[in-house]
Amino acid sequence: MKIADKIKKLKQEKNAVILAHNYQLPEIQDIADFVGDSLGLSIEASRTNADIIVFCGVHFMAETAKILSPRKKVLLPDINAGCPMADMIDAESLKALQASHPDAVTLCYVNTSAAVKAQCDYCCTSSNALKMAQHILLSHEEIIFVPDKYLAQYVSAQIRQDFITWEGYCPTHARILPENIIQAKRLHPQAKVLVHPECKPDLTGLADLVASTEKMCGYVQNTPETEFIIGTEIGIIHRLKKENPGKNFYPATDKAVCPNMKRINLEKVLWSLEDLSYEITVPPNIMDKARLPIERMLQTT
Ligand code: SF4
């Protein structure tokens, strides 16, 4: 029996659901019940009737799914699949920053640990960061925006409001350079340039559309345009091609590969289902505090 068939059989026997992030390997996306961004996957996790969630993504995503679905067993097939950006800030450092800005409200990107989320007032994703910042500014003047300095800079420029930021960034998106876009545009002059807001400002400045992966997928499906230069992790191209046969996608650079996202393969998904590993847990005191900023986000957007 093929590995994919074994996974399918075991998944049914154990009443499990497989969720895969847009940056996962093609073969993982193909066996998943749902493919999406971190927020979409967590919402899906909270709605499922399955007893077990196999989360093919990175650690903070599985944690978020656990926070939103505390009674379900959440498994991460590779316990070392972390997010370097999320690891750039910890709860103690954030507390120190907050102490020096006592009137500021803290908005954290979903790419943070549960312990950091527990220290925050609001959470956001790359899809709703702008909306969340605007919402907070209706009642507050100062925002601490952590950990992604480039996402913060992008939102800040849109709404002309400075934030107190953190020196965090995504090493994968930082590998995409302006010259990559210029070169790709030379080769494909008709192509629309889609860039993720985790990229540096000199890159977002060259984009026709700056958007989260979900918004990129929606844009591509609804536009008559047929050629696209993709300025984000290249895993998304598998989904874009699948959903849009006949349209053409060019990675801005083939260096935009997140090694953590690629740690999960079919064997690890199978072992995860066989051994119920690696189970993601969040201490109860952190779980409840971390749920609050996420719920505020879900209520606002
Ligand atoms: S692509 Fe960047 S932000 Fe996403 S998991 Fe990888 S390192 Fe983290």
Side-chain angles (χ1 to χ4, degrees):
M1 204 193 278
K2 283 188 191 157
I3 295 185
D5 293 331
K6 285 186 191 169
I7 291 171
K8 210 170 163 187
K9 187 166 172 277
L10 212 51
K11 194 178 75 171
Q12 277 162 359
E13 282 170 18
K14 300 207 174 182
N15 190 27
V17 67
I18 298 177
L19 307 182
H21 190 269
N22 288 322
Y23 297 159
Q24 288 287 296
L25 290 169
E27 57 270 33
I28 299 295
Q29 295 190 30
D30 290 346
I31 51 128
D33 297 290
F34 187 82
V35 180
D37 65 1
S38 54
L39 179 70
L41 294 175
S42 291
I43 293 173
E44 203 59 32
S46 67
R47 288 183 183 149
T48 178
N49 291 323
D51 299 314
I52 297 169
I53 296 162
V54 181
F55 205 115
C56 301
V58 294
H59 193 272
F60 78 81
M61 297 177 182
E63 262 190 347
T64 309
K66 181 68 186 176
I67 292 164
L68 290 176
S69 314
R71 277 180 215 93
K72 289 169 192 154
K73 196 182 274 293
V74 177
L75 306 175
L76 183 63
D78 187 320
I79 197 62
N80 294 314
C83 168
M85 183 207 285
D87 293 341
M88 287 176 191
I89 189 163
D90 58 46
E92 288 313 308
S93 318
L94 177 56
K95 275 185 206 167
L97 182 67
Q98 289 168 328
S100 53
H101 301 279
D103 296 328
V105 168
T106 307
L107 172 62
C108 67
Y109 191 24
V110 69
N111 296 37
T112 42
S113 66
V116 167
K117 286 190 182 78
Q119 268 300 115
C120 295
D121 301 295
Y122 292 88
C123 184
C124 72
T125 66
S126 50
S127 295
N128 61 30
L130 191 69
K131 203 170 175 184
M132 289 307 299
Q134 285 170 323
H135 173 75
I136 296 167
L137 290 169
L138 293 176
S139 50
H140 298 85
E141 286 180 1
E142 250 189 330
I143 297 180
I144 296 174
F145 192 143
V146 295
D148 186 353
K149 62 177 174 180
Y150 295 131
L151 178 63
Q153 276 174 32
Y154 175 70
V155 175
S156 170
Q158 300 297 302
I159 58 174
R160 292 166 203 228
Q161 164 84 30
D162 287 338
F163 301 128
I164 299 146
T165 56
W166 190 258
E167 276 299 306
Y169 64 95
C170 165
T172 298
H173 285 90
R175 298 199 72 172
I176 311 172
L177 303 174
E179 49 264 44
N180 299 139
I181 301 286
I182 293 162
Q183 171 68 4
K185 196 73 189 164
R186 218 174 271 142
L187 293 171
H188 311 286
Q190 303 305 322
K192 291 285 167 200
V193 177
L194 313 188
V195 166
H196 195 278
E198 284 176 21
C199 292
K200 294 179 181 178
D202 54 2
L203 210 79
T204 49
L206 296 173
D208 294 302
L209 177 77
V210 179
S212 65
T213 52
E214 279 311 299
K215 285 196 176 158
M216 282 185 194
C217 291
Y219 171 80
V220 168
Q221 276 195 322
N222 293 317
T223 179
E225 303 290 341
T226 57
E227 288 190 285
F228 307 89
I229 293 162
I230 303 300
T232 188
E233 212 276 354
I234 61 171
I236 186 75
I237 293 178
H238 179 69
R239 176 173 164 194
L240 287 168
K241 281 185 178 165
K242 234 172 140 175
E243 290 179 351
N244 305 278
K247 296 196 178 187
N248 295 310
F249 303 93
Y250 313 109
T253 167
D254 53 16
K255 290 196 172 71
V257 177
C258 175
N260 283 281
M261 283 286 180
K262 307 305 191 217
R263 290 188 77 100
I264 295 174
N265 57 27
L266 286 178
E267 284 85 356
K268 288 180 188 175
V269 174
L270 180 63
W271 299 333
S272 177
L273 279 164
E274 283 173 349
D275 307 339
L276 299 183
S277 62
Y278 295 87
E279 186 172 358
I280 299 301
T281 56
V282 179
N285 58 329
I286 290 187
M287 176 96 97
D288 291 340
K289 284 190 201 157
R291 191 176 301 114
L292 202 66
I294 303 171
E295 280 179 346
R296 281 185 176 149
M297 168 181 72
L298 296 176
Q299 283 157 13
T300 309
T301 56

